[in-house]
mmCIF file of all heavy atoms in Angstrom:
data_model
loop_
_atom_site.group_PDB
_atom_site.id
_atom_site.type_symbol
_atom_site.label_atom_id
_atom_site.label_comp_id
_atom_site.label_asym_id
_atom_site.label_seq_id
_atom_site.Cartn_x
_atom_site.Cartn_y
_atom_site.Cartn_z
ATOM 1 N N ARG A 837 33.433 -9.174 -47.019
ATOM 2 C CA ARG A 837 32.281 -9.402 -46.215
ATOM 3 C C ARG A 837 32.600 -9.672 -44.678
ATOM 4 O O ARG A 837 31.933 -9.215 -43.789
ATOM 5 C CB ARG A 837 31.406 -10.541 -46.734
ATOM 6 C CG ARG A 837 30.789 -10.325 -48.189
ATOM 7 C CD ARG A 837 30.075 -11.558 -48.729
ATOM 8 N NE ARG A 837 29.613 -11.354 -50.081
ATOM 9 C CZ ARG A 837 28.499 -10.743 -50.431
ATOM 10 N NH1 ARG A 837 27.635 -10.470 -49.512
ATOM 11 N NH2 ARG A 837 28.257 -10.646 -51.673
ATOM 12 N N ASP A 838 33.678 -10.401 -44.469
ATOM 13 C CA ASP A 838 34.139 -10.640 -43.178
ATOM 14 C C ASP A 838 34.492 -9.330 -42.474
ATOM 15 O O ASP A 838 34.174 -9.182 -41.322
ATOM 16 C CB ASP A 838 35.337 -11.683 -43.164
ATOM 17 C CG ASP A 838 35.012 -12.996 -43.628
ATOM 18 O OD1 ASP A 838 33.779 -13.380 -43.541
ATOM 19 O OD2 ASP A 838 35.897 -13.705 -44.175
ATOM 20 N N ALA A 839 35.269 -8.498 -43.208
ATOM 21 C CA ALA A 839 35.665 -7.271 -42.645
ATOM 22 C C ALA A 839 34.485 -6.308 -42.336
ATOM 23 O O ALA A 839 34.418 -5.665 -41.312
ATOM 24 C CB ALA A 839 36.676 -6.514 -43.558
ATOM 25 N N SER A 840 33.518 -6.316 -43.254
ATOM 26 C CA SER A 840 32.298 -5.556 -42.966
ATOM 27 C C SER A 840 31.541 -6.010 -41.761
ATOM 28 O O SER A 840 31.047 -5.193 -40.922
ATOM 29 C CB SER A 840 31.471 -5.593 -44.211
ATOM 30 O OG SER A 840 30.230 -4.723 -44.083
ATOM 31 N N ARG A 841 31.435 -7.377 -41.530
ATOM 32 C CA ARG A 841 30.792 -7.818 -40.370
ATOM 33 C C ARG A 841 31.633 -7.464 -39.148
ATOM 34 O O ARG A 841 30.946 -7.099 -38.094
ATOM 35 C CB ARG A 841 30.719 -9.296 -40.441
ATOM 36 C CG ARG A 841 29.512 -9.876 -41.385
ATOM 37 C CD ARG A 841 29.293 -11.295 -41.130
ATOM 38 N NE ARG A 841 30.323 -12.132 -41.643
ATOM 39 C CZ ARG A 841 30.424 -12.611 -42.883
ATOM 40 N NH1 ARG A 841 29.433 -12.392 -43.782
ATOM 41 N NH2 ARG A 841 31.400 -13.339 -43.244
ATOM 42 N N LEU A 842 32.916 -7.485 -39.127
ATOM 43 C CA LEU A 842 33.631 -7.139 -38.046
ATOM 44 C C LEU A 842 33.492 -5.629 -37.617
ATOM 45 O O LEU A 842 33.267 -5.311 -36.414
ATOM 46 C CB LEU A 842 35.162 -7.410 -38.241
ATOM 47 C CG LEU A 842 36.056 -7.177 -37.117
ATOM 48 C CD1 LEU A 842 37.206 -8.253 -37.062
ATOM 49 C CD2 LEU A 842 36.684 -5.766 -37.119
ATOM 50 N N TRP A 843 33.485 -4.721 -38.646
ATOM 51 C CA TRP A 843 33.281 -3.359 -38.335
ATOM 52 C C TRP A 843 31.868 -3.068 -37.801
ATOM 53 O O TRP A 843 31.711 -2.250 -36.821
ATOM 54 C CB TRP A 843 33.520 -2.459 -39.633
ATOM 55 C CG TRP A 843 34.908 -2.342 -40.025
ATOM 56 C CD1 TRP A 843 35.462 -2.808 -41.215
ATOM 57 C CD2 TRP A 843 35.993 -1.753 -39.309
ATOM 58 N NE1 TRP A 843 36.731 -2.465 -41.230
ATOM 59 C CE2 TRP A 843 37.173 -1.921 -40.094
ATOM 60 C CE3 TRP A 843 36.111 -1.172 -38.067
ATOM 61 C CZ2 TRP A 843 38.319 -1.397 -39.734
ATOM 62 C CZ3 TRP A 843 37.338 -0.712 -37.608
ATOM 63 C CH2 TRP A 843 38.495 -0.780 -38.475
ATOM 64 N N ALA A 844 30.880 -3.824 -38.289
ATOM 65 C CA ALA A 844 29.540 -3.684 -37.719
ATOM 66 C C ALA A 844 29.474 -4.123 -36.329
ATOM 67 O O ALA A 844 28.834 -3.478 -35.427
ATOM 68 C CB ALA A 844 28.589 -4.453 -38.565
ATOM 69 N N SER A 845 30.175 -5.226 -35.924
ATOM 70 C CA SER A 845 30.205 -5.762 -34.582
ATOM 71 C C SER A 845 30.879 -4.785 -33.701
ATOM 72 O O SER A 845 30.402 -4.563 -32.498
ATOM 73 C CB SER A 845 30.987 -7.081 -34.544
ATOM 74 O OG SER A 845 30.297 -8.109 -35.254
ATOM 75 N N LEU A 846 31.923 -4.126 -34.168
ATOM 76 C CA LEU A 846 32.611 -3.091 -33.281
ATOM 77 C C LEU A 846 31.754 -1.905 -33.068
ATOM 78 O O LEU A 846 31.686 -1.375 -31.981
ATOM 79 C CB LEU A 846 33.918 -2.666 -34.066
ATOM 80 C CG LEU A 846 35.092 -3.581 -33.915
ATOM 81 C CD1 LEU A 846 36.168 -3.058 -34.937
ATOM 82 C CD2 LEU A 846 35.629 -3.555 -32.503
ATOM 83 N N THR A 847 30.873 -1.577 -34.053
ATOM 84 C CA THR A 847 29.932 -0.390 -33.934
ATOM 85 C C THR A 847 28.866 -0.757 -32.856
ATOM 86 O O THR A 847 28.579 0.030 -31.955
ATOM 87 C CB THR A 847 29.226 -0.132 -35.194
ATOM 88 O OG1 THR A 847 30.173 0.065 -36.297
ATOM 89 C CG2 THR A 847 28.372 1.134 -35.122
ATOM 90 N N ASP A 848 28.430 -1.954 -32.885
ATOM 91 C CA ASP A 848 27.476 -2.448 -31.885
ATOM 92 C C ASP A 848 27.977 -2.486 -30.445
ATOM 93 O O ASP A 848 27.438 -2.075 -29.481
ATOM 94 C CB ASP A 848 26.924 -3.763 -32.231
ATOM 95 C CG ASP A 848 26.069 -3.729 -33.434
ATOM 96 O OD1 ASP A 848 25.588 -2.622 -33.875
ATOM 97 O OD2 ASP A 848 25.933 -4.810 -34.074
ATOM 98 N N ALA A 849 29.239 -2.932 -30.386
ATOM 99 C CA ALA A 849 29.920 -3.024 -29.089
ATOM 100 C C ALA A 849 30.436 -1.834 -28.441
ATOM 101 O O ALA A 849 30.472 -1.620 -27.309
ATOM 102 C CB ALA A 849 31.019 -4.203 -29.154
ATOM 103 N N ARG A 850 31.068 -0.910 -29.310
ATOM 104 C CA ARG A 850 31.792 0.275 -28.859
ATOM 105 C C ARG A 850 31.317 1.513 -29.305
ATOM 106 O O ARG A 850 31.933 2.585 -28.875
ATOM 107 C CB ARG A 850 33.257 0.018 -29.119
ATOM 108 C CG ARG A 850 33.846 -1.257 -28.599
ATOM 109 C CD ARG A 850 35.346 -1.371 -28.822
ATOM 110 N NE ARG A 850 35.854 -0.234 -28.014
ATOM 111 C CZ ARG A 850 37.128 0.293 -28.220
ATOM 112 N NH1 ARG A 850 37.878 -0.420 -28.934
ATOM 113 N NH2 ARG A 850 37.541 1.365 -27.470
ATOM 114 N N GLY A 851 30.335 1.481 -30.296
ATOM 115 C CA GLY A 851 29.868 2.778 -30.849
ATOM 116 C C GLY A 851 30.715 3.216 -31.880
ATOM 117 O O GLY A 851 31.839 2.798 -32.234
ATOM 118 N N VAL A 852 30.254 4.333 -32.571
ATOM 119 C CA VAL A 852 31.030 4.861 -33.743
ATOM 120 C C VAL A 852 32.419 5.369 -33.373
ATOM 121 O O VAL A 852 33.311 5.065 -34.070
ATOM 122 C CB VAL A 852 30.191 5.992 -34.422
ATOM 123 C CG1 VAL A 852 30.992 6.720 -35.344
ATOM 124 C CG2 VAL A 852 28.860 5.387 -35.045
ATOM 125 N N ASP A 853 32.432 6.089 -32.288
ATOM 126 C CA ASP A 853 33.700 6.595 -31.880
ATOM 127 C C ASP A 853 34.756 5.549 -31.592
ATOM 128 O O ASP A 853 35.869 5.685 -31.900
ATOM 129 C CB ASP A 853 33.579 7.501 -30.695
ATOM 130 C CG ASP A 853 32.827 8.802 -31.022
ATOM 131 O OD1 ASP A 853 32.711 9.136 -32.194
ATOM 132 O OD2 ASP A 853 32.360 9.571 -30.074
ATOM 133 N N GLY A 854 34.262 4.541 -30.739
ATOM 134 C CA GLY A 854 35.254 3.449 -30.464
ATOM 135 C C GLY A 854 35.759 2.578 -31.644
ATOM 136 O O GLY A 854 36.816 2.222 -31.718
ATOM 137 N N ARG A 855 34.739 2.444 -32.564
ATOM 138 C CA ARG A 855 35.114 1.755 -33.845
ATOM 139 C C ARG A 855 36.247 2.593 -34.560
ATOM 140 O O ARG A 855 37.183 2.006 -35.031
ATOM 141 C CB ARG A 855 33.964 1.502 -34.723
ATOM 142 C CG ARG A 855 34.156 0.903 -36.057
ATOM 143 C CD ARG A 855 33.006 1.104 -37.005
ATOM 144 N NE ARG A 855 32.999 2.564 -37.274
ATOM 145 C CZ ARG A 855 31.845 3.140 -37.789
ATOM 146 N NH1 ARG A 855 30.770 2.543 -37.992
ATOM 147 N NH2 ARG A 855 31.958 4.483 -38.175
ATOM 148 N N ASP A 856 35.965 3.813 -34.870
ATOM 149 C CA ASP A 856 36.875 4.659 -35.633
ATOM 150 C C ASP A 856 38.183 4.895 -34.985
ATOM 151 O O ASP A 856 39.170 5.229 -35.713
ATOM 152 C CB ASP A 856 36.183 5.919 -35.999
ATOM 153 C CG ASP A 856 35.052 5.697 -36.996
ATOM 154 O OD1 ASP A 856 34.821 4.621 -37.583
ATOM 155 O OD2 ASP A 856 34.206 6.656 -37.156
ATOM 156 N N ALA A 857 38.159 4.776 -33.667
ATOM 157 C CA ALA A 857 39.505 4.989 -32.906
ATOM 158 C C ALA A 857 40.476 3.999 -33.326
ATOM 159 O O ALA A 857 41.759 4.140 -33.096
ATOM 160 C CB ALA A 857 39.203 4.975 -31.385
ATOM 161 N N LEU A 858 40.149 2.850 -33.823
ATOM 162 C CA LEU A 858 41.068 1.866 -34.251
ATOM 163 C C LEU A 858 41.995 2.292 -35.273
ATOM 164 O O LEU A 858 43.119 1.730 -35.515
ATOM 165 C CB LEU A 858 40.351 0.576 -34.685
ATOM 166 C CG LEU A 858 39.673 -0.238 -33.603
ATOM 167 C CD1 LEU A 858 38.965 -1.451 -34.259
ATOM 168 C CD2 LEU A 858 40.717 -0.800 -32.592
ATOM 169 N N TRP A 859 41.568 3.338 -36.081
ATOM 170 C CA TRP A 859 42.396 3.828 -37.233
ATOM 171 C C TRP A 859 43.529 4.721 -36.623
ATOM 172 O O TRP A 859 44.318 5.200 -37.413
ATOM 173 C CB TRP A 859 41.570 4.633 -38.179
ATOM 174 C CG TRP A 859 40.649 3.743 -38.954
ATOM 175 C CD1 TRP A 859 39.272 3.615 -38.814
ATOM 176 C CD2 TRP A 859 40.963 2.819 -40.030
ATOM 177 N NE1 TRP A 859 38.656 2.742 -39.668
ATOM 178 C CE2 TRP A 859 39.736 2.294 -40.430
ATOM 179 C CE3 TRP A 859 42.169 2.421 -40.648
ATOM 180 C CZ2 TRP A 859 39.701 1.230 -41.496
ATOM 181 C CZ3 TRP A 859 42.112 1.504 -41.638
ATOM 182 C CH2 TRP A 859 40.864 0.854 -42.082
#
Side-chain angles (χ1 to χ4, degrees):
R837 294 178 188 270
D838 294 336
S840 183
R841 281 193 292 267
L842 185 144
W843 289 118
S845 297
L846 281 168
T847 307
D848 294 339
R850 304 194 52 194
V852 169
D853 291 345
R855 178 201 65 199
D856 292 347
L858 289 175
W859 292 106

